[in-house]
Amino acid sequence: MKHLRYKILILFILVSTTIIAQKQVVYQKSYDVNKNSTLNLDITNTTVGIEHSTDGKIHFDYGLEFENYSKKEIKKIIDGINIKTTQIGDYINLEVNSDTKINRVDYSFKENITLVYKPDSTEINKKIDKKEYRKSKDSLLREIRSLGMSDLKKFFKRFSTKYNGNKEKKINTSDVKIKISRFSIKVPPNVNIKINGNSSQITFLNDVDSEVNINLDRGFLRAKSLTNSLNQINVKNAVFEAEKITGTKYTLNNVSKCLIGEMSNTLLKTEVSRIEIGEVQQNVEFNDFNSEYFFYNYAPNFNKVSFIGQYSKVHFHESLLSYTLKVFGNNTVFHMGDKELKFGPKKDGLKSLMLEIKKQPEKKSSGNIDFDIVNGIMYVNILKDNE
C-alpha cells in the first residue's frame, strides 16, 4: 500500500498541468549557402542570437524554456509564433512573427503579489554621489559585455514580495513563471545579413566582417564588432550597444541607451538619444539633434573628430593627449569645473569661436576636434592630477 501511494504521487507529478523547466522546440531547419548568399530576416516580437556557422550552412534553431507554466499556456504561446522560410536563388528568407512579445527572459508573478526592489549599497552611494566620472574604454567594454542574460536566482535576491499588502518576504520561485528564449541562427562569416526588426532583441555573438543592413524599431541591438564599410544601421526607439564599430553609417533616433566601446571611420547621425563612447579613434563624424553625448577617451592618433549639433548636450573629458579643440556656434552654455560661461544668440545667426584649446607645442599632435553647436550645453570636465 505504501508503494502504491508512492507510485500514485509520482504519476500525479508527471501528469500535473504545471510544467517545470520544460524545453520546447519551436523550429529547426538548415540551408546550404555560398559566398554570394544573403540572409534576409524579418522578425517581430522576437529575440535572436546570431553566431558563426562552421560548416558552410545556415542553421535556424528556435526553442523556448518554460517554468511553472501550464500546458495550455505553453501551447497558446507556441501556437502564436508564425515562422516562414523560403529560398530564392542566393537569398534565404526567414519571417518570424509572434502574437506576444518574447524577450530573452520573461517572468511574471501570481495575482496580488507586489514586487519590492531592494537596492544594494553601491546603488545607494551612486544616488548620493552625483559627480560625473570619466569611464575608461575597458570599463565601458565590461559594462557592455555584462549585459547578457543574468542569473535569475541572483536577480531575484534583489527583490522581495508582498502578497495582498502583507509583510515583505523572500521570493518563492514557485510563484514565478519564467520563459526563456533560445533562438540561435548560425551563419557562415562570408554571408551578408539584412534584418528588418520590430519589437525584437538582436545579438551578434561574434565579430562580423560581412555586410550587415539593419532596420530596428523598438527592442535592442547588441554586437561585438561591426566592421564592413557598406553597413547601414538604423535603430530607433531602442537600445544599441557595440564593443567596436568602424567604417559605416549609423542612424539612431530616440535611442534611450547607446554604449560604444570604440569607434573609427564612422558617421553617426543621432536624434533625441543618449550616447556613451569609450574611445574615439580615427576620423569620426557626428551629426546630432537634441541628444546627450559622453566622450570619455581619445586614441593617440584619432586624427579628426567633427561634431555638428543643435540642442545637444555634450560631456567632454579633457585628455593628456596633445590636440586642438575648437567649439564654434552660438546660444550655448559651457560648464567648466565651477565656472559657467554663456554665449547668447546672434541676431544675424552667425557663429563664432566660443572655446579653444591649443595643442601642446612640445608634443606630437593626436588630431583636431571641431564642435559646431547651436542652442546647446557643453560640460568640459577638467583633467585631475591623478588621471
Side-chain angles (χ1 to χ4, degrees):
M1 189 69 177
K2 183 176 180 181
H3 292 297
L4 179 61
R5 286 200 302 269
Y6 179 79
K7 290 179 181 178
I8 291 173
L9 177 61
I10 293 295
L11 180 62
F12 174 77
I13 292 173
L14 290 175
V15 300
S16 173
T17 58
T18 299
I19 307 298
I20 306 297
Q22 277 285 336
K23 294 183 180 180
Q24 298 288 327
V25 175
V26 180
Y27 185 81
Q28 289 180 329
K29 197 165 186 177
S30 299
Y31 286 91
D32 291 313
V33 292
N34 56 56
K35 63 180 181 180
N36 299 316
S37 296
T38 296
L39 172 63
N40 290 321
L41 302 179
D42 194 332
I43 55 178
T44 300
N45 288 334
T46 301
T47 293
V48 61
I50 300 173
E51 57 187 306
H52 286 167
S53 169
T54 58
D55 63 359
K57 296 181 180 181
I58 290 177
H59 300 278
F60 301 119
D61 187 357
Y62 193 178
L64 292 172
E65 293 181 12
F66 298 90
E67 188 167 333
N68 297 323
Y69 276 78
S70 68
K71 290 181 179 179
K72 185 177 179 180
E73 289 172 323
I74 292 174
K75 185 177 185 304
K76 183 178 179 181
I77 292 169
I78 293 178
D79 287 347
I81 301 173
N82 302 299
I83 301 177
K84 179 183 177 182
T85 56
T86 58
Q87 183 172 14
I88 303 173
D90 291 330
Y91 292 86
I92 311 296
N93 307 298
L94 171 71
E95 297 178 29
V96 182
N97 191 333
S98 172
D99 292 344
T100 59
K101 187 175 181 180
I102 298 179
N103 299 305
R104 288 177 305 161
V105 180
D106 284 304
Y107 56 89
S108 58
F109 295 82
K110 293 180 179 178
E111 293 181 2
N112 302 319
I113 290 181
T114 302
L115 200 61
V116 181
Y117 181 60
K118 301 182 294 183
D120 60 22
S121 58
T122 305
E123 290 174 293
I124 294 172
N125 291 335
K126 282 182 180 179
K127 290 181 179 180
I128 295 173
D129 184 6
K130 296 182 179 179
K131 194 171 183 180
E132 181 184 329
Y133 293 97
R134 176 203 304 270
K135 293 182 182 180
S136 68
K137 181 178 74 170
D138 288 342
S139 68
L140 198 66
L141 286 172
R142 284 194 296 271
E143 188 174 345
I144 294 168
R145 291 164 184 166
S146 69
L147 294 174
M149 187 182 298
S150 58
D151 186 326
L152 280 179
K153 291 181 180 179
K154 291 181 180 178
F155 175 76
F156 285 144
K157 286 181 180 179
R158 307 287 293 279
F159 293 87
S160 60
T161 60
K162 283 185 177 182
Y163 185 78
N164 284 329
N166 295 328
K167 291 183 180 180
E168 292 183 26
K169 63 178 182 179
K170 291 182 179 180
I171 290 178
N172 184 345
T173 54
S174 65
D175 293 332
V176 185
K177 294 195 297 185
I178 300 171
K179 178 171 81 265
I180 300 175
S181 175
R182 305 288 189 189
F183 188 6
S184 168
I185 299 179
K186 294 183 178 180
V187 186
N190 60 339
V191 171
N192 296 332
I193 301 173
K194 294 183 179 180
I195 303 175
N196 184 36
N198 192 299
S199 297
S200 293
Q201 302 176 358
I202 304 164
T203 302
F204 287 93
L205 300 171
N206 303 110
D207 298 336
V208 181
D209 299 322
S210 59
E211 183 180 344
V212 176
N213 288 275
I214 300 173
N215 287 286
L216 175 65
D217 185 0
R218 289 168 294 173
F220 73 68
L221 171 63
R222 181 171 297 130
K224 290 178 69 65
S225 73
L226 301 171
T227 57
N228 193 292
S229 61
L230 299 178
N231 289 353
Q232 295 286 330
I233 312 293
N234 300 291
V235 179
K236 64 179 179 179
N237 308 314
V239 171
F240 172 58
E241 293 137 3
E243 296 181 24
K244 179 180 180 180
I245 61 175
T246 182
T248 191
K249 177 182 177 182
Y250 291 78
T251 302
L252 308 181
N253 190 338
N254 197 30
V255 171
S256 59
K257 184 179 184 181
C258 172
L259 303 180
I260 300 172
E262 60 183 70
M263 61 185 299
S264 63
N265 301 303
T266 302
L267 171 61
L268 187 59
K269 298 184 69 175
T270 54
E271 186 172 336
V272 197
S273 298
R274 189 181 190 278
I275 300 99
E276 297 183 53
I277 302 171
E279 184 177 87
V280 174
Q281 299 183 339
Q282 290 186 331
N283 304 323
V284 294
E285 298 180 52
F286 303 90
N287 196 317
D288 175 62
F289 177 80
N290 197 26
S291 297
E292 184 170 16
Y293 271 83
F294 295 80
F295 294 98
Y296 292 124
N297 304 280
Y298 294 83
N301 58 342
F302 66 81
N303 189 26
K304 184 179 180 181
V305 176
S306 174
F307 184 100
I308 299 174
Q310 296 184 56
Y311 298 96
S312 303
K313 183 184 289 186
V314 176
H315 300 257
F316 176 84
H317 289 265
E318 280 196 313
S319 171
L320 288 172
L321 300 173
S322 177
Y323 57 89
T324 298
L325 168 69
K326 291 183 179 181
V327 184
F328 288 87
N330 60 56
N331 199 28
T332 294
V333 179
F334 290 84
H335 296 272
M336 304 178 67
D338 298 328
K339 297 180 181 179
E340 181 179 282
L341 301 175
K342 294 182 179 180
F343 292 83
K346 303 278 188 177
K347 288 184 179 181
D348 53 11
L350 293 177
K351 300 172 184 177
S352 61
L353 180 62
M354 298 182 294
L355 177 67
E356 182 177 16
I357 297 176
K358 296 182 178 180
K359 74 177 187 68
Q360 302 173 37
E362 69 279 6
K363 290 186 177 181
K364 180 182 177 182
S365 175
S366 293
N368 300 316
I369 305 172
D370 295 320
F371 283 92
D372 185 322
I373 300 179
V374 177
N375 304 318
I377 301 174
M378 189 163 182
Y379 297 87
V380 181
N381 295 288
I382 308 300
L383 191 68
K384 299 179 183 65
D385 293 336
N386 61 349
E387 288 188 299

